[in-house]
């Protein structure tokens, strides 16, 4: 089965166009990062490219190189800000692969020894809680 075409009505495309708000962590000409509203752990951040890609299967490799450098930099800030023991990076492709929003994104999920992940697309977190984590992460971010 070929990868379906990019659909610009997806929720992340709307966030990128400024039509839907987000709790922004980082933005430059390549990427936007914001808090996941249904976090699998405290401090769960999503990083997406500004250019349209449905997922990793149709993404431009050069863009992926630039994007992963942002993922690494933000992951370092998340680990420091949340005093995490580790970080899990997740990236889902197509419905059978667990993808629910069809604009490429990487999940940065802080981990602590013995703490189990909450479900993918589970309960929504309160905005004030997300905002508190967002502030800490932004404060820990270093220039690329
Ligand atoms: P997936 O496409 O399965 O990799 O996951 C999409 C992720 O986006 C899930 O973790 C959702 O909790 C998250 N999500 C969905 N809508 C929003 C939104 N409006 N703002 C922030 N995160 C979102």
């Amino acid at each position: 089965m070929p990868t379906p075409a990019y659909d610009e009505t997806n929720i992340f495309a709307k966030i990128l166009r400024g039509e839907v708000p987000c709790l922004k962590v980082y933005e430059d000409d390549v990427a936007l990062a914001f808090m996941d509203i249904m976090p699998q752990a405290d401090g769960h951040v999503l990083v997406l490219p500004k250019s349209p890609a449905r997922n990793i299967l149709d993404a431009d490799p050069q863009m992926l190189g630039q994007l992963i450098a942002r993922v690494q930099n933000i992951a370092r800030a998340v680990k420091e800000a949340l005093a995490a023991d580790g970080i899990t990076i997740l990236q889902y492709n197509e419905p059978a692969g667990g993808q629910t929003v069809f604009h490429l994104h990487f999940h940065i999920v802080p981990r602590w020894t013995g703490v189990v992940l909450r479900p993918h697309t589970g309960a929504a977190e309160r905005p004030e809680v997300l905002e508190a984590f967002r502030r800490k992460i932004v404060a820990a971010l270093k220039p690329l």
Side-chain angles (χ1 to χ4, degrees):
M1 282 278 281
T3 301
Y6 182 79
D7 177 1
E8 63 186 24
T9 65
N10 75 77
I11 185 76
F12 291 173
K14 289 179 182 174
I15 290 174
L16 283 165
R17 290 196 295 267
E19 298 166 9
V20 170
C22 70
L23 286 168
K24 185 162 79 179
V25 168
Y26 176 82
E27 182 173 17
D28 65 13
D29 54 334
V30 171
L32 175 69
F34 50 81
M35 303 306 294
D36 193 307
I37 55 170
M38 291 170 270
Q40 289 189 254
D42 292 348
H44 181 164
V45 171
L46 301 173
V47 186
L48 40 145
K50 287 198 163 171
S51 55
R54 178 176 166 91
N55 54 43
I56 207 163
L57 301 170
D58 65 341
D60 172 64
Q62 279 198 324
M63 177 277 283
L64 284 175
Q66 295 178 315
L67 184 64
I68 209 70
R70 274 76 180 167
V71 171
Q72 180 191 46
N73 196 44
I74 297 164
R76 287 171 170 162
V78 169
K79 185 171 182 295
E80 182 184 318
L82 277 288
D85 299 320
I87 295 284
T88 298
I89 306 288
L90 295 158
Q91 193 277 313
Y92 302 88
N93 300 282
E94 298 301 323
Q99 186 175 11
T100 60
V101 177
F102 297 95
H103 182 108
L104 172 65
H105 53 281
F106 286 83
H107 298 253
I108 298 174
V109 186
R111 306 299 302 273
W112 299 268
T113 305
V115 177
V116 176
L117 280 190
R118 303 196 283 264
H120 181 52
T121 63
E125 183 56 275
R126 287 169 293 154
E128 61 270 27
V129 173
L130 296 175
E131 173 59 16
F133 292 131
R134 187 194 73 83
R135 280 171 185 264
K136 283 187 177 184
I137 296 164
V138 169
L141 265 177
K142 301 199 170 48
L144 259 187

